[in-house]
Amino acid sequence: MEIFNQANVSFILGGFANTIEISVLAIIFSLLFGTILAMVKQYGPKPLSLLVSAYIELFRCTPNLLWILFIYFTVKGDYVFTSVLSFTIFTSAVMAEIVRGGFNSIPKSQFEAARSQGFGFFGTMWYIILPQTFMVIIPALFSQCTTVIKDSSYLAGVNVMEFMYTTKVVMAQAADLSQVLMLYGFMFALYFVLNFGISLIVRAYQRRVVAAA
Amino acid sequence: MLEGLLDPLRWEMTFSEMDTLWNGFFFTLQVVVAGLALSLVLGTILGVFSTTRSRVLRAISRIYVEFYQNTPLPVQVFFMYMAGPQLLQQITGAPSPVRISSFVLGFVGVGLYHAAYISEVIRTGIEAVPRGQMEAALSQGFTRVQAYAYIILPQTFKVILPPLCNQALNLVKNTSVLALIAGGDLMYNADNFVSSYGYLQGYIMACLLYFIICFPLAILVQWLEKRSKERPRAKNIPGVTDIAQAASTAKEA
């Protein structure tokens, strides 16, 4: 039997589309939440800053799969919602550290200059600090994107219809080893093209920054 | 679901089942140690390959690193789990598919995956050592292999230790991939507990046990990072450094 028939291919590619949808949403939300966490850790009052540090350490020191299972077990809802939620809570911790690294690279004089021009804290952050920070952290952000895309395959563990899961469902129909290998080759190739493409963008960007400097 | 967290009976039940969690914990530790050893050895070899003059060795290292860094670990491990036994059967000519134990799947899986990352760490470390060091070593009669072993690699330690420990931390977390397949590790046993009793306590204990392994590593990474930023300073040797300091102050005067 032909394994790459139309129904199977569109089923598998549907999973690939879900992988991308979940990853993009997770990255957007965790970047937003992570930026807030980073601001609180860096500039917030001491008790709040300690709380954020604890949050970051907790999620940095435990496996992603644990939180995927945890959310799956406790929160009932649409699978896109629960997947994005679980990825957001632990990716935010990583994003916060990336953004904070960006803050550290901004010279202190930028704050003083902004203050002398009459900017308040939020004005300074929004107009002066954050734009410069994001320019600095773009490479780290993109490599975090590939991490999220790769880790989204852990979602197959809770039967989310993402790329690895749909491919495995089709694999159950495989008649022999060669068909299994073809499906794995297809899966490896698609993940590779997506992630390698992202890393090529990062490299091109870094070359441009180096050339400009 | 969450109100059950305060139920003392559920905690009592959880503690009575702690043995399976501890078994998983020690199994995970074994996978970590073996995986770390494999990834360090392979990563160092590939890292050195990527800095040699041989175009073939550089290409091997590049292809390996790009493949393993750009495809998901669960897919790699699933591949070994599902296609591995039959592939091994065809390669070795065994009468039946070769069974791969959970331990082997785990440590080879995370070992090969993190070898790619460690290779990049080693490469950047070697590139940070001035080129003159290799030339000087060669001029003193070291062979290239000796120069790498005695001159170049030891100098990379201070630079590469923080990212290496970070990789070790990620490796510990990634051993949880075993819970998706063959199992036996901490995550698998905790998940089993939760699905058979319906108590969230299993995940909380797993969280705690992973934290016990990873948090010291995270602290170590921070400490090493701070230390690697400090400039190398001469040790204070009584009688020697005083003279040097006296000489330098005399020069300034």
Side-chain angles (χ1 to χ4, degrees), chain A:
Chain A
M1 197 190 86
E2 183 59 52
I3 196 88
F4 283 108
N5 59 33
Q6 206 189 344
N8 283 349
V9 169
S10 66
F11 182 66
I12 292 177
L13 290 181
F16 189 65
N18 281 339
T19 288
I20 292 182
E21 184 191 354
I22 290 168
S23 304
V24 168
L25 288 175
I27 287 162
I28 291 172
F29 285 120
S30 54
L31 182 58
L32 283 175
F33 191 42
T35 306
I36 294 169
L37 288 178
M39 288 203 294
V40 173
K41 183 170 175 183
Q42 190 88 334
Y43 308 115
K46 191 88 187 180
L48 277 181
S49 155
L50 278 177
L51 207 64
V52 170
S53 298
Y55 179 92
I56 291 173
E57 288 305 329
L58 173 66
F59 287 100
R60 202 183 153 200
C61 292
T62 45
N64 301 352
L65 183 59
L66 175 70
W67 299 107
I68 292 172
L69 294 170
F70 190 93
I71 293 292
Y72 179 75
F73 190 75
T74 48
V75 182
K76 298 287 172 241
D78 175 55
Y79 70 87
V80 174
F81 171 73
T82 52
S83 307
V84 170
L85 178 66
S86 58
F87 267 80
T88 302
I89 61 168
F90 59 73
T91 309
S92 300
V94 185
M95 289 294 191
E97 284 300 274
I98 293 174
V99 173
R100 213 171 57 85
F103 285 156
N104 285 335
S105 73
I106 308 288
K108 227 178 164 166
S109 55
Q110 293 285 325
F111 282 94
E112 289 153 7
R115 179 62 48 85
S116 78
Q117 297 300 308
F119 283 95
F121 174 76
F122 289 103
T124 311
M125 286 319 278
W126 185 253
Y127 292 107
I128 317 284
I129 306 299
L130 284 177
Q132 296 185 69
T133 305
F134 282 110
M135 291 307 279
V136 176
I137 61 172
I138 278 176
L141 278 184
F142 271 94
S143 74
Q144 191 55 34
C145 290
T146 60
T147 306
V148 170
I149 291 169
K150 289 195 292 178
D151 285 351
S152 68
S153 58
Y154 276 108
L155 289 168
V158 290
N159 300 344
V160 169
M161 301 281 266
E162 55 75 60
F163 187 36
M164 184 168 101
Y165 184 78
T166 53
T167 315
K168 274 175 55 196
V169 169
V170 170
M171 211 172 279
Q173 309 173 6
D176 56 6
L177 182 61
S178 70
Q179 289 192 335
V180 170
L181 292 183
M182 277 193 321
L183 282 167
Y184 269 111
F186 183 68
M187 185 156 45
F188 276 126
L190 227 53
Y191 271 120
F192 184 84
V193 168
L194 183 61
N195 290 320
F196 191 61
I198 292 173
S199 74
L200 285 183
I201 294 172
V202 177
R203 280 174 222 181
Y205 175 81
Q206 276 173 324
R207 261 201 305 279
R208 219 188 61 185
V209 169
V210 170

Side-chain angles (χ1 to χ4, degrees), chain B residues 50-194:
Chain B
S50 66
T51 59
T52 54
R53 289 176 305 172
S54 158
R55 201 169 284 171
V56 179
L57 293 185
R58 283 211 307 264
I60 291 173
S61 166
R62 200 70 247 150
I63 291 169
Y64 182 94
V65 170
E66 293 298 351
F67 175 76
Y68 275 95
Q69 283 195 346
N70 288 314
T71 52
L73 173 67
V75 179
Q76 293 163 13
V77 176
F78 256 110
F79 177 74
M80 294 200 300
Y81 176 64
M82 287 178 77
Q86 292 187 51
L87 282 178
L88 279 178
Q89 181 192 9
Q90 292 189 351
I91 293 167
T92 58
S96 60
V98 182
R99 201 181 153 272
I100 309 174
S101 74
S102 172
F103 174 73
V104 173
L105 273 174
F107 97 83
V108 173
V110 293
L112 295 182
Y113 181 77
H114 283 281
Y117 287 89
I118 288 178
S119 157
E120 288 291 271
V121 171
I122 302 273
R123 181 174 67 83
T124 49
I126 292 175
E127 282 169 357
V129 176
R131 204 162 260 264
Q133 294 287 321
M134 178 54 105
E135 289 158 11
L138 292 177
S139 79
Q140 296 300 308
F142 284 91
T143 65
R144 281 194 163 265
V145 176
Q146 284 173 331
Y148 270 114
Y150 296 118
I151 312 289
I152 307 293
L153 287 177
Q155 293 190 61
T156 61
F157 270 147
K158 201 172 180 180
V159 187
I160 64 175
L161 268 183
L164 273 188
C165 287
N166 207 20
Q167 284 307 315
L169 199 162
N170 286 335
L171 190 143
V172 175
K173 295 199 286 177
N174 275 333
T175 55
S176 66
V177 73
L178 274 177
L180 296 179
I181 44 161
D185 73 316
L186 173 55
M187 191 72 254
Y188 183 82
N189 286 358
D191 191 37
N192 247 355
F193 173 83
V194 175

